[in-house]
Amino acid sequence: MKHLLSMADLDRDQITEIMDTAVSMHEVQHREVKKLPTLRGRTIINFFFEDSTRTRSSFELAGKWMSADTINLTGKGTSVSKGESLRDTVRTIDAMGVDMMIIRHMASGAPAQIAQWTDCSIVNAGDGTHEHPSQALLDAYTMRQRLGDLAGKHIAIVGDLTHSRVLRSNLLCLRTLGARITLVAPPTLLPAGIGQWSDAEGFTPAYELDDVLPTVDAVMMLRVQRERMSGGFFPTAREYAVTYGLTTARLRRLPEHAVICHPGPMNRGLEISGDAADAAQSLVLDQVSAGVAVRMSILYHLLAGSGSDQ
């Protein structure tokens, strides 16, 4: 495995191997000295054309804790802002002899295109409304740590499905692991062609959150991406919160063992209440912690593992 561009690139065994390795990597976070020599001499570029806190910071920590040389770049601080094409910019960086570029871009498919232009490994850290594979891996890892094997588990993914790259990666990842998925959203925020898509991928679309919650093992609330919306997808924020938000009242509808996930950043009071975000069954901070371990595992398998092409 040289690149991580889509969850469709990974089978069940590969996903499980990445998560199993992440268990060992997670132990590093609890050490006094958080350092492994695994990627000493490797150079990793975090190239982010969109804002990010969790993803960029966790990839940077993952690289540094594995002794790689990591450099952060943004579109604003490179020749792209002077009019140079993306192709010329990434080929220039590749020519410097870097081992990996971690790419976040506003255009769907940009990391896959960059992989065709360069010789180094490429990791998709989120491209438009397409995919975010490392987020799906850390979400699955976090749920597995609490719930065990995800095969047969019922997971509801709720919220702004139309604009979510997290949804697409999670759907592929969780279905590959054998989970049963229900997608819940207002009709205006369900992706076009949801009927044919659900038939092909084997998930269930639903409109009534209250009917789904009592049956789930995990519920994942997705952020309402107002920056990607142009038009009225719902009347008011209050109406959305009342109808589709994980409110304090709805917490009581969840089974005792069920867990709450959110990939962040959270809009408290919109898709999730403060009580739900901070509840004992919330895994939100566990997801953040797992993000570093899972991304360490990804770097290991791409640059140092037995399946690496390096």
Side-chain angles (χ1 to χ4, degrees):
M1 185 170 72
K2 183 175 182 179
H3 308 298
L4 179 58
L5 304 174
S6 166
M7 282 308 305
D9 298 335
L10 302 179
D11 60 26
R12 180 185 176 87
D13 288 343
Q14 290 172 310
I15 293 171
T16 301
E17 187 176 10
I18 288 172
M19 291 196 294
D20 288 345
T21 303
V23 174
S24 300
M25 298 299 184
H26 216 156
E27 297 173 0
V28 175
Q29 291 174 248
H30 304 294
R31 296 181 185 178
E32 184 174 350
V33 178
K34 301 176 177 64
K35 207 74 168 177
L36 297 173
T38 314
L39 298 182
R40 183 177 295 149
R42 299 286 198 173
T43 302
I44 299 173
I45 306 292
N46 292 319
F47 204 169
F48 279 59
F49 292 84
E50 285 186 324
D51 294 338
S52 171
T53 300
R54 293 162 181 77
T55 303
R56 185 169 67 178
S57 297
S58 59
F59 267 121
E60 183 178 5
L61 280 174
K64 288 184 174 179
W65 286 357
M66 298 180 78
S67 301
D69 296 313
T70 61
I71 300 171
N72 290 328
L73 296 177
T74 63
K76 186 177 295 185
T78 64
S79 296
V80 172
S81 63
K82 299 178 182 180
E84 184 174 68
S85 70
L86 176 63
R87 180 180 185 274
D88 286 337
T89 297
V90 297
R91 281 173 61 84
T92 297
I93 295 170
D94 187 48
M96 296 177 186
V98 303
D99 297 289
M100 174 182 286
M101 279 188 258
I102 298 165
I103 305 289
R104 170 166 287 190
H105 201 279
M106 66 289 295
S108 298
Q113 183 61 73
I114 290 170
Q116 301 299 313
W117 293 333
T118 60
D119 293 324
C120 66
S121 292
I122 302 296
V123 174
N124 179 3
D127 58 332
T129 58
H130 178 228
E131 276 208 54
H132 194 350
S134 65
Q135 181 68 47
L137 288 166
L138 75 88
D139 291 340
Y141 171 87
T142 306
M143 286 185 278
R144 190 181 75 155
Q145 291 294 97
R146 182 69 67 91
L147 299 174
D149 188 353
L150 297 183
K153 297 294 192 296
H154 183 200
I155 300 170
I157 304 177
V158 184
D160 184 0
L161 308 180
T162 293
H163 303 98
S164 178
R165 55 193 171 209
V166 172
L167 163 67
R168 288 157 178 80
S169 288
N170 262 294
L171 195 54
L172 289 166
C173 181
L174 294 171
R175 288 294 297 138
T176 301
L177 293 173
R180 180 164 64 93
I181 311 297
T182 299
L183 304 186
V184 187
T188 52
L189 289 175
L190 284 171
I194 188 72
Q196 291 181 333
W197 190 23
S198 63
D199 290 341
E201 295 293 336
F203 62 84
T204 304
Y207 303 113
E208 298 296 332
L209 180 57
D210 288 331
D211 293 342
V212 174
L213 288 179
T215 69
V216 302
D217 298 292
V219 57
M220 180 179 296
M221 307 305 298
L222 298 180
R223 181 173 67 90
V224 176
Q225 299 188 41
R226 286 177 284 194
E227 75 278 7
R228 298 185 189 274
M229 296 181 181
S230 55
F233 285 84
F234 47 86
T236 66
R238 176 174 173 75
E239 181 171 319
Y240 181 90
V242 168
T243 310
Y244 289 100
L246 188 58
T247 60
T248 302
R250 285 199 173 100
L251 280 176
R252 294 190 288 271
R253 298 187 68 85
L254 286 171
E256 288 187 11
H257 73 279
V259 296
I260 300 165
C261 296
H262 193 305
M266 294 185 290
N267 293 312
R268 287 179 181 249
L270 186 54
E271 72 267 1
I272 189 168
S273 68
D275 288 341
D278 300 329
Q281 63 214 103
S282 171
L283 300 184
V284 173
L285 291 180
D286 298 77
Q287 289 172 270
V288 176
S289 176
V292 181
V294 170
R295 286 166 176 138
M296 288 174 72
S297 178
I298 290 168
L299 300 186
Y300 169 79
H301 283 283
L302 291 180
L303 294 180
S306 59
S308 170
D309 290 340
Q310 299 294 313

